[in-house]
């Protein structure tokens, strides 16, 4: 039975939708929804979605980046990621672009890992995570500004990064889900190496 469990889309009738705040990256909406025998009002962040990359080199090391994130007042460890904010661009194309723009790398091999809702009680963001391998330097080096201007890069054995997640030292959600999914995918591909 557990193998058959899946999230279930619901086409609830939106009776009213108000733009509460229009932001540079995302908006805040307030929707009145017909649900059950009544109505509910919910405010949420209306988000364009994102793509994220677990980049693993030939030595089994994963690329982590560290950058300042103002809402949490931390320079947290993350994986390369970016918004689905280019019209017509697929999540895979966004992942390729972000790998090149954030860390000046291209990958020969791309594999979808998982797609996740980040905070379903507070926003509609979906993040598509990909495993990238066969890494080589990009032909172009990208200029970086704001939080990306002082990104720190670190190559870490995947098993050590997973241990950091489980120990509570690495708490970024994209990183945690992406690395755990990649570790399992790689274990399934080569159970002897796990």
């Amino acid at each position: 039975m557990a193998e058959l469990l899946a999230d279930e889309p619901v086409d609830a009738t939106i009776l009213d939708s108000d733009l509460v705040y229009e932001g540079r990256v995302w908006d805040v909406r307030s929707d009145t929804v017909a649900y059950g025998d009544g109505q509910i009002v919910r405010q949420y962040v209306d988000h364009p979605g994102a793509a994220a990359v677990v980049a693993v080199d030939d030595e089994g090391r994963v690329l982590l980046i560290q950058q300042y994130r103002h809402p949490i007042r931390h320079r947290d460890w993350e994986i390369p990621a970016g918004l689905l904010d280019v019209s017509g661009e697929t999540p895979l194309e966004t992942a390729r672009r972000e790998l090149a723009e954030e860390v000046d790398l291209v990958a020969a091999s791309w594999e979808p890992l998982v797609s996740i809702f980040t905070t379903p009680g507070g926003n509609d963001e979906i993040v598509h995570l990909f495993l990238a391998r066969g890494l080589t330097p990009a032909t172009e080096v990208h200029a970086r500004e704001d939080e990306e201007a002082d990104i720190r890069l670190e190559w870490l054995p995947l098993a050590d990064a997973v241990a950091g997640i489980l120990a509570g030292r690495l708490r970024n959600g994209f990183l945690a889900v992406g690395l755990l999914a990649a570790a399992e995918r790689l274990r399934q591909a080569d159970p002897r190496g796990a």
Side-chain angles (χ1 to χ4, degrees):
M1 178 66 174
E3 295 172 5
L4 303 177
L5 291 179
D7 294 340
E8 179 182 333
V10 175
D11 192 18
T13 302
I14 298 174
L15 303 171
D16 188 40
S17 184
D18 294 317
L19 179 63
V20 176
Y21 172 79
E22 184 174 4
R24 186 178 67 81
V25 177
W26 49 73
D27 301 331
V28 176
R29 300 202 68 81
S30 181
D31 289 355
T32 302
V33 181
Y35 192 79
D37 293 332
Q39 297 178 6
I40 57 175
V41 176
R42 294 293 181 265
Q43 291 82 31
Y44 62 96
V45 173
D46 186 10
H47 196 284
V53 183
V54 178
V56 178
D57 70 7
D58 294 339
E59 298 174 39
R61 299 177 305 167
V62 65
L63 176 63
L64 305 184
I65 63 174
Q66 186 186 53
Q67 64 180 319
Y68 175 66
R69 294 298 187 184
H70 183 71
I72 60 171
R73 309 303 196 276
H74 278 76
R75 288 180 47 82
D76 74 332
W77 286 100
E78 306 179 357
I79 55 178
L83 297 172
L84 300 175
D85 59 356
V86 175
S87 180
E89 189 175 71
T90 67
L92 177 57
E93 291 167 334
T94 299
R96 290 177 198 258
R97 176 174 51 84
E98 290 297 330
L99 187 65
E101 288 179 0
E102 287 194 354
V103 295
D104 303 318
L105 290 174
V106 295
S109 168
W110 288 88
E111 230 182 299
L113 285 171
V114 293
S115 294
I116 60 169
F117 295 117
T118 59
T119 312
N123 69 50
D124 64 354
E125 179 182 23
I126 186 167
V127 178
H128 307 278
L129 292 115
F130 296 90
L131 175 61
R133 293 186 282 180
L135 304 168
T136 55
T139 56
E140 181 181 343
V141 174
H142 290 81
R144 295 177 185 89
E145 54 189 32
D146 300 326
E147 294 97 331
E148 294 180 349
D150 63 349
I151 282 180
R152 178 177 162 199
L153 305 179
E154 193 71 46
W155 288 96
L156 192 65
L158 182 55
D160 291 352
V162 168
I165 293 165
L166 298 176
R169 294 189 317 273
L170 304 173
R171 296 183 289 175
N172 180 279
F174 296 6
L175 177 139
V177 172
L179 269 56
L180 293 170
E184 178 61 11
R185 178 71 51 85
L186 294 171
R187 186 197 64 78
Q188 289 175 358
D190 183 11
R192 296 170 290 120

